[in-house]
């Protein structure tokens, strides 16, 4: 059975293909168009997912007519007829003659995380900046959540003082057990959910509400307020909710925001982020967000009694909060998919379609959803890259160069799905070199100098360097770098002594595992610095040519494609 999943969202449109119960291919449209955040309201501002759909179909040598079921989601929960008409105006692919199912926004998120998890039953918490309008779920969507809401089985809490037809989903609480979904509770509102407040702060700090990852990184430089300044607790004691307020913020928060605007008005350099008011503001938001999420997760655990928790929605990219939830909410295991943001909605849709027909095969996290390319040395030569080495001991050569201070653009097989590089589209560097952080930020990545870098560490040696061994295979959690190791690996140790680490098993990526193992033999350190193969404002690279162009612009020392080493001509 072939199920095509589609996600029509504001800033992360995507497509996914499941064949015989296995996720075969998935791609965010931005990787194909090379337009960052290419969604219906951002980037190209188009709905048509034709390029992403064709990517999935061609990767598996099938046609659209071969698809048995289309499962899709539109963030505004518009009717199928309205979507069809809008796509027609753009000349988009017409899939409406095929059998189809339409899922609500948060439920598609829930399907993404649960069906990618290794669990047979779990509680699911979805949190993002703004989901779909709840008043249209029963009218234009289908599936178990729409049925539960229609039957009055779901508690819906409006966190705004006054109900509004413009309300959207903020947090949704689910359980899956004995083969059945249950939508327990949903908070809705206009401007005051967790993700919405975090987005507003990010917009003030970085002029972009989608730059919440920057806010999380900056928060480690400050000490948070002892009292809440962003969220207030409300609702019944047995089912409380949290909301921020744009209309009545605390006087301290108002003063802070006024001061930050003044700082930014006279200081346009990177040093503005070092101002104490700025770091205090970010730190306070991060701490309160963690506290709220932990309390929500505790409520869900007590309500369901389940041992496993799945997280999804854009807020689940907050790996610091994820780690606190694991430690404090009462669950034995916590899972976060590699794509908890809106790019993962297509995967959730496709997997739901497979599960609905008892086709789904669980137990393996398909991190790499892209197609495999065969690179052309002549094409790379045309843009200024020359082949310098290939052979049996290529890994030894690469490890030696990294140990000597080289930055490597590393490219292999199909691309990762999600925003974080997990070893197929990465810049790799020596974590022992403290100066590497500034060089990578300012020269290679062209981004703010306060931002941290992630380590990729061999699973069998995690506890030698970190105080926790979460199964952080997708960089979903943080741990403290052991004090005696912080000076050993300063390039991946954040200012607060933590690292958002990727734990690597050999079966996840044999090539990268081999490289790190050889690096460990040469240096004694089983870790490499791993950051995404792109520059600020660009999507992760997709093709070999994308990788070559990025390597040249980034001034790296070498590009390695499937075990072949290339070097920019001017650096040769």
């Amino acid at each position: 059975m072939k199920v095509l999943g589609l996600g029509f969202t504001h800033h992360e449109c995507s497509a996914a293909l499941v064949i015989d119960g296995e996720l075969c291919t998935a791609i965010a449209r931005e990787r194909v168009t090379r337009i960052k955040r290419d969604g219906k309201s951002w980037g190209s501002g188009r709905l048509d997912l034709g390029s992403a759909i064709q990517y999935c179909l061609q990767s598996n040598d099938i046609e659209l007519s071969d698809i048995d079921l289309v499962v899709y989601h539109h963030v505004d929960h518009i009717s199928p007829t309205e979507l069809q008409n809008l796509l027609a105006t753009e000349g988009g692919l017409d899939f409406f003659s095929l059998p189809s199912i339409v899922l609500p926004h948060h439920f598609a998120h829930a399907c993404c995380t649960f069906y990618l998890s290794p669990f047979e039953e779990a509680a699911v918490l979805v949190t993002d900046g703004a989901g779909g309008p709840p008043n249209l779920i029963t009218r234009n969507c289908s599936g178990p959540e729409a049925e539960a809401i229609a039957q009055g089985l779901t508690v819906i809490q409006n966190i705004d003082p006054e109900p509004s037809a413009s309300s959207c989903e903020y947090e949704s609480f689910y359980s899956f057990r004995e083969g059945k979904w249950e939508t327990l509770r949903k908070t809705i509102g206009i401007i005051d959910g967790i993700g919405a407040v975090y987005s507003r702060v990010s917009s003030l700090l970085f002029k972009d509400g989608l730059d919440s990852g920057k806010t999380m990184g900056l928060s480690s430089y400050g000490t948070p307020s002892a009292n809440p300044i962003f969220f207030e607790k409300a609702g019944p004691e047995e089912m409380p909710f949290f909301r921020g307020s744009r209309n009545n913020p605390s006087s301290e928060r108002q003063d802070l925001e006024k001061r930050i605007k003044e700082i930014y008005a006279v200081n346009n350099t990177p040093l503005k982020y070092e101002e104490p008011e700025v770091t205090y503001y970010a730190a306070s938001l991060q701490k309160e967000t963690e506290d709220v999420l932990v309390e929500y997760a505790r409520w869900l655990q007590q309500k369901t009694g389940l041992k496993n928790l799945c997280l999804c929605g854009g807020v689940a990219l907050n790996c610091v909060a994820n780690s606190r939830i694991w430690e404090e909410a009462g669950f034995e295991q916590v899972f976060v998919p590699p794509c908890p943001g809106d790019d993962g909605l297509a995967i959730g849709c496709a997997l739901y379609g497979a599960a609905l027909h008892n086709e789904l095969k669980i137990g393996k996290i398909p991190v790499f959803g892209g197609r495999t390319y065969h690179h052309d040395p002549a094409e790379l030569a045309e843009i200024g890259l020359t082949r310098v080495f290939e052979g049996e001991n290529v890994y030894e050569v690469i490890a030696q160069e990294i140990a000597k201070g080289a930055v490597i653009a590393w490219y292999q097989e199909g691309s990762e799905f999600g925003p974080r590089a997990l070893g197929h589209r990465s810049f790799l560097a020596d974590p022992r070199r403290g100066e590497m952080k500034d060089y990578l930020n300012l020269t290679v990545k062209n981004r703010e100098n306060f931002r941290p870098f992630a380590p990729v560490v061999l699973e069998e040696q995690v506890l030698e360097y970190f105080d926790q061994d979460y199964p952080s295979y997708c960089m979903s959690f943080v741990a403290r770098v052991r004090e005696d190791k912080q000076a050993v690996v300063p390039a991946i140790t954040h200012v607060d002594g933590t690292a958002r680490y990727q734990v690597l098993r050999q079966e996840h990526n044999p090539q990268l595992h081999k490289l790190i193992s050889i690096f460990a033999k040469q240096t004694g350190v089983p870790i490499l610095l791993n950051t995404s193969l792109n520059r600020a404002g660009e999507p992760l690279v997709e093709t070999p040519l994308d990788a070559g162009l990025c390597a040249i612009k980034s001034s790296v020392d070498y590009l390695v494609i499937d075990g072949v080493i290339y070097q920019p001509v001017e650096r040769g």
Side-chain angles (χ1 to χ4, degrees):
M1 184 176 183
K2 302 175 183 66
V3 183
L4 179 65
L6 305 175
F8 299 94
T9 61
H10 290 294
H11 51 84
E12 289 176 307
C13 287
S14 56
L17 182 63
V18 170
I19 300 178
D20 294 335
E22 292 188 3
L23 180 61
C24 295
T25 309
I27 193 73
R29 187 172 65 188
E30 67 170 21
R31 303 288 183 90
V32 182
T33 63
R34 309 308 304 154
I35 302 172
K36 184 71 172 176
R37 296 172 182 160
D38 192 10
K40 80 178 194 70
S41 302
W42 296 65
S44 65
R46 288 175 55 84
L47 273 175
D48 177 26
L49 270 171
S51 58
I53 294 172
Q54 293 292 3
Y55 180 101
C56 293
L57 297 176
Q58 292 170 4
S59 298
N60 295 276
D61 295 321
I62 63 174
E63 303 289 338
L64 185 60
S65 58
D66 295 321
I67 297 296
D68 299 296
L69 176 65
V70 177
V71 185
Y72 68 89
H73 155 77
H74 187 286
V75 70
D76 294 326
H77 294 164
I78 64 176
S79 70
T81 300
E82 186 177 356
L83 177 59
Q84 184 177 16
N85 292 337
L86 288 171
L87 286 172
T89 64
E90 296 182 353
L93 287 175
D94 186 356
F95 54 83
F96 293 92
S97 62
L98 301 171
S100 63
I101 297 172
V102 187
L103 297 184
H105 186 88
H106 274 195
F107 183 67
H109 273 311
C111 291
C112 174
T113 184
F114 177 74
Y115 290 130
L116 286 179
S117 80
F119 308 140
E120 293 185 359
E121 61 178 25
V124 180
L125 174 59
V126 174
T127 314
D128 59 13
N135 61 318
L136 295 180
I137 289 177
T138 57
R139 186 186 308 174
N140 295 327
C141 302
S142 55
E145 177 170 270
E147 294 171 4
I149 293 174
Q151 296 171 19
L153 302 177
T154 299
V155 176
I156 298 181
Q157 297 175 294
N158 193 321
I159 69 176
D160 291 322
E162 297 293 332
S164 170
S166 301
S167 293
C168 60
E169 303 165 295
Y170 279 138
E171 294 91 29
S172 294
F173 305 77
Y174 305 89
S175 68
F176 185 95
R177 64 176 111 203
E178 297 180 353
K180 295 182 179 180
W181 282 98
E182 185 177 3
T183 305
L184 304 167
R185 172 186 175 194
K186 189 180 292 287
T187 65
I188 66 172
I190 304 176
I191 56 173
D192 291 336
I194 300 170
V197 172
Y198 211 105
S199 180
R200 285 208 302 275
V201 169
S202 301
S203 183
L204 172 61
L205 294 178
F206 301 105
K207 302 188 187 308
D208 190 337
L210 297 177
D211 276 339
S212 295
K214 295 181 183 181
T215 304
M216 181 181 69
L218 182 62
S219 69
S220 299
Y221 289 82
T223 300
S225 170
N227 301 305
I229 61 176
F230 288 98
F231 295 103
E232 64 179 8
K233 192 173 184 177
E237 185 175 339
E238 68 278 7
M239 197 179 294
F241 56 80
F242 296 85
R243 64 186 176 204
S245 177
R246 180 180 295 179
N247 297 321
N248 297 297
S250 69
S251 58
E252 181 182 7
R253 179 175 155 194
Q254 287 180 316
D255 292 342
L256 271 173
E257 291 173 349
K258 179 181 179 181
R259 174 61 182 143
I260 290 170
K261 290 175 182 177
E262 292 172 348
I263 292 171
Y264 281 21
V266 298
N267 186 352
N268 290 319
T269 72
L271 295 177
K272 64 187 176 185
Y273 299 117
E274 298 178 6
E275 295 286 351
E277 294 95 338
V278 176
T279 58
Y280 174 78
Y281 184 68
S284 299
L285 171 71
Q286 175 65 28
K287 172 62 164 54
E288 286 187 53
T289 298
E290 295 169 23
D291 292 343
V292 170
L293 289 171
V294 168
E295 186 157 347
Y296 271 147
R298 282 176 179 159
W299 178 89
L300 185 55
Q301 199 285 324
Q302 293 166 3
K303 176 69 174 178
T304 64
L306 291 165
K307 299 178 180 180
N308 305 318
L309 174 66
C310 295
L311 298 174
C312 211
V315 176
L317 286 166
N318 194 309
C319 51
V320 182
N322 296 345
S323 302
R324 277 198 58 195
I325 289 171
W326 190 313
E327 291 299 312
E328 301 176 29
F331 290 96
E332 294 180 9
Q333 296 186 81
V334 177
F335 174 81
V336 184
C339 48
D342 283 357
D343 54 348
L345 290 163
I347 290 180
C349 288
L351 294 175
Y352 174 80
L356 191 64
H357 290 81
N358 298 314
E359 289 271 346
L360 190 63
K361 299 173 184 176
I362 64 171
K364 178 183 178 182
I365 307 171
V367 171
F368 307 106
R371 56 159 289 195
T372 298
Y373 298 84
H374 297 289
H375 74 278
D376 182 356
E379 185 179 55
L380 296 178
E382 288 181 3
I383 63 171
L385 290 164
T386 182
R387 182 164 45 183
V388 295
F389 189 86
E390 60 181 308
E392 293 183 1
N393 62 336
V394 65
Y395 292 96
E396 285 79 4
V397 172
I398 298 169
Q400 288 171 3
E401 291 299 318
I402 292 175
K404 289 190 289 186
V407 177
I408 305 294
W410 177 268
Y411 181 104
Q412 67 174 85
E413 301 174 333
S415 58
E416 299 90 335
F417 197 88
R420 291 167 179 162
L422 300 173
H424 279 200
R425 304 287 190 274
S426 296
F427 287 117
L428 302 177
D430 189 343
R432 303 172 302 162
R433 298 175 177 269
E435 73 278 7
M436 189 61 73
K437 178 182 172 183
D438 284 344
Y439 177 72
L440 286 169
N441 271 328
L442 300 178
T443 301
V444 176
K445 300 281 286 185
N446 189 32
R447 66 183 197 179
E448 298 85 358
N449 63 350
F450 66 83
R451 295 175 65 180
F453 289 97
V456 52
V457 55
L458 301 182
E459 184 175 47
E460 53 270 26
Q461 292 174 273
V462 170
L463 288 177
E464 293 180 23
Y465 284 80
F466 304 95
D467 67 354
Q468 293 284 353
D469 58 347
Y470 302 115
S472 186
Y473 305 124
C474 303
M475 292 187 187
S476 301
F477 302 94
V478 299
R480 184 163 296 280
V481 182
R482 293 192 178 279
E483 289 192 14
D484 62 327
K485 298 296 186 182
Q486 292 184 14
V488 178
V489 287
I492 57 86
T493 302
H494 199 23
V495 65
D496 59 356
T498 66
R500 184 192 72 197
Y501 62 164
Q502 176 192 354
V503 176
L504 185 66
R505 285 182 174 176
Q506 184 176 17
E507 61 265 31
H508 291 166
N509 189 333
Q511 296 93 325
L512 184 58
H513 192 279
K514 182 177 181 179
L515 176 62
I516 298 175
S517 297
I518 292 172
F519 182 81
K521 288 180 181 179
Q522 295 177 357
T523 66
V525 177
I527 296 172
L528 286 178
L529 183 154
N530 174 22
T531 187
S532 57
L533 186 49
N534 67 323
R535 284 166 63 80
E538 301 174 351
L540 267 74
V541 303
E542 172 62 22
T543 69
L545 181 59
D546 295 337
L549 293 170
C550 183
I552 290 172
K553 285 191 295 183
S554 303
S555 301
V556 298
D557 298 282
Y558 300 100
L559 167 66
V560 180
I561 297 186
D562 296 329
V564 181
I565 304 177
Y566 292 84
Q567 188 175 38
V569 172
E570 67 273 15
R571 297 180 75 91

